[in-house]
Amino acid sequence: MSELKTVISDQIKKHGKGRDALMPILQSIVEKNNYLTNENMVEIAKELDISAADVYGTASFYSFLETEERGRYVIRICKSITCDMKGKGKVLRTIQDMLKIKIGETTQNKKFSLLETNCIGLCDQGPAMLINDDFYNHLTPEKVREVLVDYIRNKN
Amino acid sequence: MTKKQLKRVDIILSPYSVSPYQVLINTVKRSKDEVIKEMINSGLRGRGGAGFPTGLKWKLASEQISDEKYIICNADEGEPGTFKDRKILSEVPRKVFSGMAIAGWATNSTKGVVYLRREYKYMVADLEKEIEVFNNKAKEIGLDFSINIFLGAGAYVCGEETALIESMEGKRGEPRNKPPYPIQNGFKGKPTIVGNVETFASASMVCRYGADEYVKFGTNDQHGSKLFSISGDSPKEGVHELELGMSIEDFVHEFGDGDTKAVQVGGVAGFCVPRKHFKTTIIGEGQTTGGATMIFNSTRSMYHVLHNYLDFFVEESCGQCTPCRVGTQQLLKGIEAVKLGEKEPEYLEQLIKLSQTMKVASKCGLGQSVANSFASIVTNFKEEMIY
């Protein structure tokens, strides 16, 4: 809990104690812990002196502010029309086969979560996906396999 | 058929042949009224898609009396098929910052914010370096204007200016009622100019070339050059800077794969133009556009395309207005039912009526624009919806 308080107070130092500090606080917790717990949100509400429902209302509105447990690496594959046309389906099946999870699920070792996302602005380089903040473009089943093998072997 | 070469221009994406900060230095030596007048005369309109006259926005903001005003650069480009702002911010960010600073100076605003979509977080490190260069430059020339980045958190609707402001204030990104407009009552209740990335870059170019030169580009309706994000069945996918006022036929000649069936102009919120209308549809006349053009060839099922769009709208509707929240879901269920034969083909007419109702009864551009792609696809590709 003390670690959480440090994250919150760091952001309050930067942005003040007003409501506009909320987004940066939520973002920095997700960056650290991959998702927001109910306890996190209650604590933030206390610090900013707003209701916990307001904090949850904001957090649950945005697709990158996770309120469910996620793995350390969140894979977001773009499902918008041009990525879909360029073969997103095959890429997605490859990921599901390799990690043995479906969309919305997390691997047992809590390393990967798999999500579909709307347009990530790489329509000219589709199919495309994000793993946390990094993007991968022009994906094929072979290429996505290489990417994932690298994560499985070389990243914790 | 005679092949017409599209007029390519190279204003926004060209390298810095004249430093954008030199343009800024030269501009702030002039009178503010003169620069705002220049912006009005250039005919520049918002490049995000809504097409509001930029000069007028600046003029209205400059007339507001307030101890603080904000300049927000909308880099929340979430429209499927749009990626030009990513390119501008990666390649020529100084043109954007110079445009923001000119807007700030002209309207007596001292704070600039770049609202960057969360999906582009990998760009933050480079952008922060560039912003530091800018902030130092501003100090050096004695201009009271600084820029910082605000990172979004993943919501298409936050591209709408009042939803974007709500989001910056730490709230759900739900659009506000208008009026009051952001230029009267924006971020933290202060007068705020929200402009698209490309608009600010274009504004800097207007100051560099002067309105007289700038209006030589484009159509009577819309001046200047425009960036087009081209994707889909095209051998030339990517961002291309073109002059407004070309027909879709010429466009398809240059960017299609020889088998183009339909072109979606303006992203999923825009219109789907079928082959029979290629000749008569001029891009940039009548409708403004954010420049997203997706090309579909004859192997594509337009039912599948529309289904994909509706899935998108169902997820991204903020849920605030019932016509949009429920309407998007009913349109999706409706086309599925017709396809499965559970509903008669005539039901499609009712769905089009529903989409028209959403146009008048929704608060923001999201719900209002669903009818554009819905009606144009259902009307022009009706047989694909049924069989």
Side-chain angles (χ1 to χ4, degrees):
Chain A
M1 199 49 107
S2 65
E3 199 184 341
L4 176 74
K5 279 206 170 127
T6 324
V7 174
I8 297 175
S9 68
D10 280 355
Q11 293 298 330
I12 287 177
K13 257 179 233 156
K14 257 190 243 168
H15 302 276
K17 228 177 164 160
R19 177 88 186 237
D20 47 323
L22 180 56
M23 289 279 275
I25 292 173
L26 294 172
Q27 286 167 335
S28 52
I29 294 173
V30 171
E31 189 167 326
K32 243 183 149 64
N33 303 343
N34 312 319
Y35 73 108
L36 298 152
T37 63
N38 288 346
E39 293 72 33
N40 290 162
M41 289 185 269
V42 170
E43 186 66 30
I44 296 167
K46 267 189 216 153
E47 291 292 328
L48 292 182
D49 197 19
I50 53 179
S51 90
D54 274 340
V55 176
Y56 179 75
T58 297
S60 57
F61 188 84
Y62 299 94
S63 59
F64 280 76
L65 298 177
E66 303 287 354
T67 50
E68 277 173 52
E69 184 171 13
R70 298 287 185 218
R72 294 191 294 288
Y73 296 101
V74 180
I75 303 169
R76 290 184 170 85
I77 183 159
C78 176
K79 63 170 177 180
S80 287
I81 186 69
T82 44
C83 282
D84 185 277
M85 283 160 55
K86 297 289 163 77
K88 163 241 163 192
K90 275 190 216 156
V91 174
L92 179 62
R93 277 194 295 278
T94 307
I95 301 173
Q96 288 176 325
D97 289 348
M98 275 186 82
L99 300 179
K100 308 272 185 293
I101 49 173
K102 296 197 199 82
I103 294 161
E105 293 180 348
T106 300
T107 54
Q108 270 188 340
N109 61 4
K110 311 271 187 237
K111 186 159 177 177
F112 296 101
S113 294
L114 176 61
L115 301 173
E116 278 189 318
T117 186
N118 286 321
C119 188
I120 55 173
L122 293 165
C123 321
D124 54 337
Q125 301 162 30
M129 68 177 185
L130 294 169
I131 300 184
N132 290 357
D133 303 338
D134 298 322
F135 74 87
Y136 298 87
N137 55 5
H138 298 298
L139 292 172
T140 58
E142 293 72 37
K143 187 170 171 187
V144 81
R145 208 169 284 135
E146 276 172 33
V147 170
L148 288 184
V149 164
D150 182 48
Y151 271 84
I152 292 167
R153 289 204 187 135
N154 304 322
K155 302 199 178 181
N156 287 318
Chain B
M1 208 182 305
T2 52
K3 192 173 171 183
K4 189 179 150 198
Q5 195 65 31
L6 286 188
K7 206 159 159 193
R8 289 175 183 266
V9 272
D10 193 17
I11 301 176
I12 295 171
L13 287 181
S14 62
Y16 306 134
S17 54
V18 171
S19 153
Y21 297 151
Q22 192 56 49
V23 174
L24 171 63
I25 292 167
N26 296 344
T27 305
V28 299
K29 283 179 189 153
R30 301 166 63 187
S31 92
K32 294 182 181 185
D33 288 344
E34 191 190 312
V35 170
I36 289 176
K37 208 167 164 203
E38 178 110 61
M39 209 53 67
I40 291 171
N41 292 340
S42 76
L44 175 63
R45 291 166 68 167
R47 294 296 197 225
F52 191 83
T54 306
L56 179 61
K57 197 185 265 187
W58 289 22
K59 184 169 184 286
L60 294 171
S62 72
E63 288 164 355
Q64 296 288 321
I65 296 161
S66 174
D67 55 342
E68 185 58 272
K69 297 180 190 176
Y70 294 93
I71 305 293
I72 298 176
C73 172
N74 184 347
D76 191 49
E77 66 172 350
E79 187 67 48
T82 312
F83 41 88
K84 65 183 178 69
D85 296 340
R86 161 171 61 80
K87 182 127 171 144
I88 296 172
L89 287 171
S90 320
E91 294 182 7
V92 288
R94 292 182 190 191
K95 291 186 184 179
V96 180
F97 303 152
S98 145
M100 288 174 72
I102 294 168
W105 164 80
T107 58
N108 298 319
S109 319
T110 59
K111 290 200 172 69
V113 180
V114 176
Y115 186 104
L116 187 73
R117 68 184 305 218
R118 173 60 177 77
E119 289 81 350
Y120 291 169
K121 194 175 175 189
Y122 53 84
M123 292 168 58
V124 166
D126 286 345
L127 273 178
E128 273 179 342
K129 273 182 222 151
E130 277 294 331
I131 284 177
E132 201 187 327
V133 171
F134 168 83
N135 287 341
N136 288 334
K137 192 78 192 176
K139 258 183 226 154
E140 188 189 313
I141 63 175
L143 184 71
D144 185 11
F145 188 79
S146 64
I147 298 178
N148 63 57
I149 295 182
F150 185 94
L151 197 62
Y156 167 71
V157 73
C158 287
E160 199 278 343
E161 56 183 2
T162 59
L164 181 149
I165 290 169
E166 288 286 297
S167 162
M168 284 177 59
E169 293 178 353
K171 301 176 200 148
R172 296 166 67 82
E174 291 175 352
R176 297 175 179 172
N177 285 323
K178 292 196 260 190
Y181 294 92
I183 46 159
Q184 303 156 310
N185 184 344
F187 182 50
K188 295 186 185 174
K190 303 290 183 187
T192 303
I193 287 182
V194 183
N196 176 257
V197 174
E198 186 183 348
T199 313
F200 285 117
S202 300
S204 174
M205 293 297 101
V206 168
C207 292
R208 176 178 161 186
Y209 291 105
D212 292 344
E213 276 299 306
Y214 193 78
V215 296
K216 289 180 186 164
F217 297 103
T219 65
N220 288 334
D221 203 22
Q222 283 191 72
H223 300 301
S225 69
K226 177 81 194 80
L227 295 190
F228 284 85
S229 311
I230 298 171
S231 64
D233 295 311
S234 164
K236 295 183 187 169
E237 287 182 289
V239 178
H240 297 268
E241 187 168 356
L242 304 167
E243 198 173 357
L244 287 160
M246 66 203 145
S247 73
I248 301 231
E249 184 170 89
D250 292 334
F251 179 84
V252 162
H253 240 109
E254 176 128 7
F255 295 103
D257 64 357
D259 185 25
T260 304
K261 165 158 102 173
V263 179
Q264 180 77 25
V265 182
V268 304
F271 293 85
C272 189
V273 183
R275 199 179 271 153
K276 64 182 174 199
H277 295 151
F278 283 177
K279 216 187 252 294
T280 51
T281 309
I282 310 291
I283 300 178
E285 249 174 36
Q287 299 288 341
T288 55
T289 170
T293 38
M294 298 188 281
I295 301 178
F296 303 116
N297 71 19
S298 65
T299 66
R300 306 296 173 190
S301 150
M302 296 312 287
Y303 171 80
H304 180 73
V305 168
L306 181 60
H307 196 282
N308 184 289
Y309 290 2
L310 290 172
D311 259 337
F312 172 80
F313 284 126
V314 167
E315 269 179 34
E316 297 293 349
S317 170
C318 80
Q320 189 182 188
C321 312
T322 310
C324 174
R325 182 185 67 244
V326 178
T328 49
Q329 295 172 16
Q330 291 304 320
L331 292 179
L332 180 59
K333 275 191 199 164
I335 64 161
E336 285 175 347
V338 171
K339 190 77 175 177
L340 290 171
E342 291 164 2
K343 292 272 184 194
E344 294 299 313
E346 289 72 39
Y347 189 59
L348 290 171
E349 300 305 320
Q350 264 175 280
L351 294 176
I352 290 179
K353 266 192 210 156
L354 171 61
S355 74
Q356 306 295 358
T357 305
M358 290 164 64
K359 197 172 202 126
V360 292
S362 302
K363 193 191 272 187
C364 85
L366 195 159
Q368 289 164 8
S369 61
V370 175
N372 298 345
S373 49
F374 187 82
S376 57
I377 292 178
V378 170
T379 311
N380 293 307
F381 300 96
K382 199 169 180 180
E383 70 287 358
E384 291 190 40
M385 299 301 125
I386 303 166
Y387 304 108

